[in-house]
Amino acid sequence: QTKRYKKPKDTFIINTSVLVTRKTSIKMAPPSSRTSLYSMCLSLAVLSHIATSFSFVPRSFDRSQRAFVESPPRRSSVMMAAENDPKRVVVIGNGMVGQRFMENLLKHDADKSKCIISTFCEEPRAAYNRVKLTSYFETLDPSSLSMTSEFDEEGRTPWYEENNVELLLNDKAVAMDTEAKTVTGASGKTIPYDVAVFATGSFPFVPPIPGRNRPGVFVYRTIEDLEAMLKYAKENNVKSAAVIGGGLLGLEAAKAVADMNATSHIIEFAPILMCRQIDQGGHNALVTKIEDMGLKVHCGARTESFVGTDGTTDDESDAPVAALRFSNEDWDDLPVQMVVVSCGIKPRDELARDAGIALGERGGVVVDEQLRTSASSVYAIGEIALYNNFIYGLIAPGYDMAKVCSQTVAAEELGINLDLDQEPAFTGADLSTKLKLLGCDVASFGENQPKPDDEDVTELVWNDPINNIYRKLIFNKAGTKLRGGILVGDAGDYTLLHRLSTQDGGLPENIAALLPPPSAQGAPAVSDEVPSDPSAQICSCNDVSRGTIEEAIVNLGIDKATLPAVKKCTEAGTGCGGCEPLVKSILKQQLESLGGSLSNSMCEHFSMSRPELMALVRTDADPSSVDSFEKILAKHGHGDGCEICKPAVASILASLVNGVIIDEGRDALQDTNDRSMANMQRGGSYSVVPRVPGGELTPEQLIVMGEVAKKYNLYTKITGAQRIDLFGAAKYQLPDIWEELGAVGLESGHAYGKALRTVKSCVGSTWCRYGVQDSVGFAIRVENRYKGVRSPHKMKSAVSGCVRECAEAQGKDFGMIATEHGYNLYVGGNGGVNPVHAELLARDIDEDTVIRYLDRYLMYYILTADKLERTAPWQMKLPGGKNGGGPIEHLKEVIIEDSLGICDELDRRMQHLVDTYHDEWAEVVKDPVRRAKFKQFVNSDENIPREKMIEFIDQRGQLRPTDWPADGQPQTNWQAPSDDVFARSEKSWVKVGTTSDFDPNVGSPILYGDSQLAVFNNAHRGEWYCTQNMCPHKQAFVLSQGIIGSFEGAPKVACPLHKKQFSLEDGHQFDGDLKLITFPVKIEGDDVMVELPAVEEVDAILGTNGLRVTKSDCIDITGDALKVPVRSSEEAGMRNTTLVH
C-alpha cells in the first residue's frame, strides 16, 4: 500500500508487511530506490501466496504493549466493501468535534464517492455549540446554537440529508465489536463500519458528596440540563443556588444561575478561582468583578454534604436540597434551593473500555499522533482522546484533532490523494485562551505559571484594584522573549501579546511598554489590535488566518461580503465567538481597501441606519426642515424612497411629532396595515382589534362587539393577548365598524402598528387569593399611558399580580411582577420566533417609579433602535455596564443613574407622546376627508363584496377565506395570455376621475366594468401610472395599497401582502418573473385619463369574477383566459358612472 504523502523524487515508500507464524517470522525490508516497483509488487505477490499456502496468522503491533500481537480475523469478503465501493465511516457522538470531523472528511471526499457516514447522537437534537451554552438564555431557542442550521421539530437540520449522512438521533451507542466491526445503538440498530471514530466527549464529574442525587441537584452540560434547571427554578421559586466548581465551566454555570434571577454562590475547593489559568492576583481582580455583580464567591470550601429540606445529609432521602454543609471549621450551612455541579469532566470512554480498546490509567482512549487507537481502523478525537497522557478540554484542540483525523482517514482508509507535504499529526495544542466570564475579560497565554524551580523568569505585574484590572507578563531573564501571561479585566491586546509569545524577537526595546492595559493608554478596553500579518491566526477554534479571511472577502466581492457570509465561508467566529470583533474589523478594512465599505445603510435611498437618521432629525436646529418625508429625503437622502425607508421615516415622525398618520401625505409612508389602520389578511380583507386595556371589558362592550361581528359577518377569535379579533372586513366597511365600536368607548388597539399592542394582566389582588397588588388596575394605567406610542417594532407588556407570573410578564418587551413591596420591572423580553427572557431592571419599586423608568426605557429604545428591531435584540447589542455586568447594567446606569445626562430629554419626549395621543379610528370616523380615503374605488360608490374576490368557506359555524393554493398551482403566479394581450385591441382614452381624487404618492383603486385597476400618482416624480390591481402572486386585489418608490432609479410598487416588487413603467417584477399589465395615463386639465380597450376585453382578462380564488375547480386563467365567462356591459351595469369613452 503506497502512502499518499509527498516524498523526495524517485523514492518509493512502501508500508512493510509482517507475516508471522507461531515459529517463524518473515519480514520484508524496504526496497532501495533503485528497485523497480514491478519487482516489489511481484515480491509482495509471492509472499502473499506463501502466507496463504502456509496459513500464516496475521499479526499487528500493539502500541500499548509495545509488541506484536495476533490480529483479529478480518471480516469475510461478503461483509467487506468492494474495492471501489464507498466505505462506511461511523462517528460515535455528534458533538462539536464529531460534527467538525464529518465536515472535514466530506470536504476531502468532495464527490461523496469514497465514504458513507453514520453518526450516533444520543441527544434529542443534532450537533450544537456547547461552548456558547450560556447564551441559550438570550433566546431560549436551540437553533441559535445549531452547528449547521435551524432545527426542525425532530431536532434535525437539512445538512445531514444534503450530505447523505445518516443521523441516528436519540440513539446512544451502547456496544462495539472491533472484530466484527460493528456498532450497536440503544435502539437495537447495528451499523457495520470500515472506520469508526470515537467523538463521545466527556461527562460532568460529580464528586461523591452525600445527597448528590437529591431533587434540585443538576449538572451543567446540555440544553436539557439548562431547561431542567429553568423549570425547577421556576416551579420551586429558587432564590439562591450554589455552583460547585470555580473553573471555566463553573463560572459559566454561575452565569446561567444568575440569568435565572437567583443569587449565585460559587463554591471552589481550591484557594483561588480558575487555578489552571490565573494566579492569586488575577483571582483577586476577578472575584471583585464577580461580587460587584451580586454573585458570591467561596474559595477553599470543603463541601461535606447536600442537606435536604428534611435535615438529612445522606443518600437515602429524596427530600429536595435546602443547604450546603461544609467540613471547614466555623463555616455555617449555606441555604440554597438548587445546586449545579460543574467541577470538571471525565472522558466518556465506557464504550471503548467494553470493546477492549486501550485506555489511560485515569481514563481516556489512548491515541497516537494520527489519533489512531489500539483497535484497527478505530480513531478517537476530542475530550475522549488521551494524547501523551493528557486530555484536552478546549474546543480548539478538538478541532485540530478533527482535522488531523479526517486527513488520516481520507488518505489511509479511503485512499484519497490529499497531496500533503507531510503526514498529518496532532502533537499537542496551545492552551492559550481568551474568554469573557460574567462580563469580565480573562485571558492566559503561553507559560502563564512557570514551575517554581524555573530560574529563567522575569515577571512584570500591573495591579489596579480600583478598576479591577490585573496583568502579569512573564519574560525570560534577559527580557528578549515573552513566555506567557495572565490578563484579567482588560485583555484588549491579547492577540498582540499571544502572537509575541509564539515568536522569537519582535519585542519593543522597553518591554515594560507592553504591560499597561489598553484602557490605561486611552484606548477602549474592549478593542483588540487586528494583526496585519496574513498568516496571523484570527480564529483559534478553527485555525483561520487573516489571509484566509481576506481571500474569502475578495472572492465574495464587495456586494456579497457580509459578516454572516464571511463566517460561513471561513468558519471564523463560529466556535466560541470570541474572535468575531476581529473578523468584523478585518472585513471592514478589506472592504475599504477594495473601494467598498461595511454598510449600515437603511436602503439605497439613505446611506445611514435608522438610529443615525433619527439622531440627525431629532437634533436638527430647525425642526420644521425635517417634519416630512420629502424634507428628510431632500436633506439626508436621495431618489424616491421605497417600502423600507418610508415606514422607517414614518416611525421617526410619529415618535417625534405624533400627527395623524394618514394626514399631510403621511399615508404614502405607511406600511401595509398602518395605511388602513387594520391588519390585511388573506384575500385582501382586514381584521379589526379594539383596545381592551388590561383585558378588562364591560358587558355592553362585549355585546356591541358581538352585534358588529354578526352585522358584518366577521369571524371572531380571542387573541393571545386578551383581546377580541374580528376578521373579514372590507376596507370600505372599516369606518362604519369603528364608529359602532367607538360608541361604547372601544378605541383602536393598534394591532396593525409598530406600537404598543397590549398590556396583559391577571386579576391580581382584586380577585385572586394569591395576588399582592392590583395588577389589572396597574395594567390599565400602563396601557392607557403608552397606547398609540409608535416604535421601531411592536411592543407587548404584562403585569402579574404575584410571583406565580400568570400574565407571563418576563416574556414581554417590558413586564411587571408584583411583590409585597411594589413591582419588579423586567425589560427586553419577547416571544415569537426567537423567545427571549426579560432581564430585571429594578426591584420592589412603586407604580410611579415603574412609569418613570418605563418612560426612559421606551424612549431610549425608540431613539436608538434599528428599523424593525424588537427590544430584545436591541438590548443585547447595547454596551456593557461599567462593572462588566452586560447591557442590563448599562440600562441601569442610563435610566436610573442618568449616566448619559439624557433622562430629562427622554422624560420630555415621552410626555409629549402621551399628551398628543389621539384615537386614530375616531379621527377617521369624525372627518369626511379622512373617511373618503377608505372608499373601495375612487371613481365609483359601488363596492365589490369580499366573496366576489375570494371564496369564503364555513368553519365551525363561521366564515373564513379559503386556503391559498401553493405557489405554482393554478390561481397563483398568474400570467396574461401574452406579454401584450391588448396589442390588437382598439383603445380609447377613458376619464377615471380628476387629479384631486387621487392622493399624491400612493395608489388608488378604480373600477372599470368588472375589472379592478390601480392608478398611481407619483407626485414626487410628476408621473402617473396605471396597472391591474390584482397582484399575480396570489390573485389578491391589493396592489393599490402598496408603497411606491424606486429601485435603482426605476419607479416601482411593492405588493402589500408579500412585498413582491413590480415596475410601474412596464409591469415586470424586479425580484421574480411575474408581470403586470400596464396602461398609459395622461392628464388633461384636471382630468385623469387612462388608455383602455373596451370593457368586455379588459373583463375577459382582468375581471374580478374570473380571477376569484376558489376552493376547488380552479380556473387556470393563464391557459384559458378568454374562455372565462364574461359579464355583458348591461349585466355589469357599466357601474362606474364617471367613465367617459
Side-chain angles (χ1 to χ4, degrees), residues 417-439:
N417 187 354
L418 300 181
D419 199 28
L420 301 176
D421 292 326
Q422 58 185 7
E423 184 177 18
F426 177 81
T427 57
D430 180 6
L431 297 180
S432 301
T433 184
K434 176 188 175 185
L435 303 165
K436 186 172 284 292
L437 296 170
L438 296 163

Side-chain angles (χ1 to χ4, degrees), residues 252-304:
E252 287 288 329
K255 171 67 163 58
V257 169
D259 286 340
M260 297 179 195
N261 299 312
T263 301
S264 183
H265 294 268
I266 302 171
I267 312 299
E268 171 57 42
F269 180 81
I272 64 173
L273 297 178
M274 296 183 65
C275 57
R276 292 187 177 182
Q277 287 82 22
I278 62 177
D279 59 8
Q280 184 67 52
H283 162 84
N284 294 340
L286 179 59
V287 167
T288 303
K289 283 268 190 181
I290 291 174
E291 293 192 333
D292 283 347
M293 295 176 60
L295 287 79
K296 309 297 182 183
V297 178
H298 311 265
C299 286
R302 298 191 292 274
T303 307
E304 182 178 275

Side-chain angles (χ1 to χ4, degrees), residues 628-929:
S628 71
F629 176 78
E630 288 72 21
K631 293 177 181 179
I632 293 173
L633 183 67
K635 197 166 189 176
H636 300 296
H638 62 276
D640 297 350
C642 64
E643 76 284 354
I644 297 174
C645 61
K646 284 187 174 183
V649 172
S651 171
I652 291 173
L653 292 173
S655 299
L656 300 179
V657 182
N658 204 25
V660 178
I661 63 171
I662 59 172
D663 283 2
E664 300 175 358
R666 287 189 289 273
D667 52 346
L669 312 179
Q670 306 304 325
D671 212 339
T672 303
N673 299 327
D674 294 80
R675 182 178 170 188
S676 300
M677 301 182 187
N679 293 65
M680 183 180 283
Q681 306 294 345
R682 188 166 63 245
S685 63
Y686 292 85
S687 65
V688 176
V689 185
R691 184 168 298 285
V692 183
E696 186 177 76
L697 275 170
T698 66
E700 183 184 13
Q701 290 173 326
L702 280 169
I703 290 170
V704 169
M705 279 198 230
E707 290 174 342
V708 166
K710 189 173 182 179
K711 177 179 179 179
Y712 295 94
N713 204 4
L714 305 179
Y715 176 100
T716 58
K717 183 185 180 301
I718 304 296
T719 73
Q722 298 179 332
R723 301 194 291 187
I724 295 177
D725 208 340
L726 310 173
F727 291 85
K731 184 176 179 179
Y732 66 86
Q733 296 173 323
L734 293 175
D736 294 335
I737 293 173
W738 297 340
E739 186 171 11
E740 294 182 40
L741 294 174
V744 290
L746 292 169
E747 300 178 327
S748 165
H750 291 92
Y752 50 83
K754 302 297 184 284
L756 176 70
R757 297 289 178 85
T758 179
V759 181
K760 185 177 178 181
S761 74
C762 63
V763 295
S765 60
T766 54
W767 288 91
C768 180
R769 66 184 185 276
Y770 298 110
V772 294
Q773 301 289 348
D774 178 10
S775 55
V776 178
F778 191 35
I780 293 172
R781 179 186 177 188
V782 172
E783 185 161 351
N784 282 331
R785 180 171 183 81
Y786 300 120
K787 62 185 178 183
V789 171
R790 277 182 155 73
S791 51
H793 210 301
K794 64 185 177 184
M795 300 184 295
K796 296 182 179 181
S797 180
V799 182
S800 286
C802 70
V803 293
R804 291 173 178 267
E805 247 285 68
C806 294
E808 301 169 329
Q810 293 176 85
K812 301 294 188 287
D813 294 275
F814 57 97
M816 290 67 73
I817 300 177
T819 69
E820 294 287 350
H821 307 289
Y823 290 91
N824 289 344
L825 173 58
Y826 292 84
V827 294
N830 65 245
V833 177
N834 296 310
V836 178
H837 201 277
E839 296 182 276
L840 181 64
L841 180 67
R843 189 188 300 271
D844 293 328
I845 54 178
D846 59 28
E847 291 188 4
D848 289 343
T849 305
V850 170
I851 294 294
R852 183 166 65 253
Y853 289 171
L854 278 179
D855 282 358
R856 297 170 182 176
Y857 175 81
L858 295 178
M859 206 67 227
Y860 190 36
Y861 161 62
I862 290 168
L863 296 180
T864 61
D866 210 343
K867 59 181 175 61
L868 300 180
E869 185 173 47
R870 290 290 297 270
T871 57
W874 164 76
Q875 190 165 307
M876 292 175 193
K877 296 194 307 189
L878 293 175
K882 294 177 182 178
N883 67 358
I888 192 64
E889 295 302 320
H890 168 79
L891 285 171
K892 291 176 183 178
E893 293 164 6
V894 172
I895 293 167
I896 301 174
E897 302 170 13
D898 196 15
S899 63
L900 299 181
I902 61 173
C903 282
D904 285 346
E905 181 190 0
L906 300 179
D907 293 342
R908 175 173 48 81
R909 289 192 179 277
M910 181 55 75
Q911 192 59 48
H912 169 73
L913 296 181
V914 173
D915 293 341
T916 55
Y917 166 75
H918 47 268
D919 176 16
E920 293 169 349
W921 289 353
E923 295 296 321
V924 172
V925 168
K926 69 185 181 183
D927 188 309
V929 175

Side-chain angles (χ1 to χ4, degrees), residues 299-433:
C299 286
R302 298 191 292 274
T303 307
E304 182 178 275
S305 62
F306 300 149
V307 184
T309 53
D310 57 359
T312 60
T313 59
D314 53 38
D315 289 324
E316 303 301 323
S317 171
D318 59 358
V321 67
L324 297 188
R325 181 160 296 168
F326 306 96
S327 61
N328 303 64
E329 188 175 351
D330 297 329
W331 280 37
D332 296 329
D333 288 356
L334 178 65
V336 293
Q337 296 88 47
M338 188 169 73
V339 174
V340 182
V341 181
S342 184
C343 53
I345 60 173
K346 293 188 68 175
R348 297 197 59 178
D349 55 15
E350 63 275 14
L351 181 62
R353 184 187 305 275
D354 294 342
I357 296 173
L359 306 180
E361 291 183 5
R362 301 180 63 183
V365 175
V366 177
V367 297
D368 63 8
E369 293 182 351
Q370 283 69 47
L371 290 312
R372 305 184 191 97
T373 70
S374 60
S376 174
S377 297
V378 178
Y379 300 77
I381 55 177
E383 292 173 338
I384 188 179
L386 181 70
Y387 172 75
N388 203 16
N389 207 32
F390 192 86
I391 295 286
Y392 290 87
L394 299 176
I395 189 60
Y399 280 176
D400 288 344
M401 293 182 188
K403 178 180 178 180
V404 170
C405 186
S406 67
Q407 291 174 331
T408 303
V409 170
E412 296 190 0
E413 304 283 356
L414 306 183
I416 299 174
N417 187 354
L418 300 181
D419 199 28
L420 301 176
D421 292 326
Q422 58 185 7
E423 184 177 18
F426 177 81
T427 57
D430 180 6
L431 297 180
S432 301
T433 184

Side-chain angles (χ1 to χ4, degrees), residues 454-474:
D454 190 340
E455 297 181 356
D456 191 22
V457 172
T458 296
E459 297 179 347
L460 298 181
V461 176
W462 178 282
N463 190 9
D464 178 0
I466 296 176
N467 295 302
N468 299 314
I469 297 175
Y470 173 86
R471 293 157 64 90
K472 176 189 283 186
L473 299 183
I474 302 166

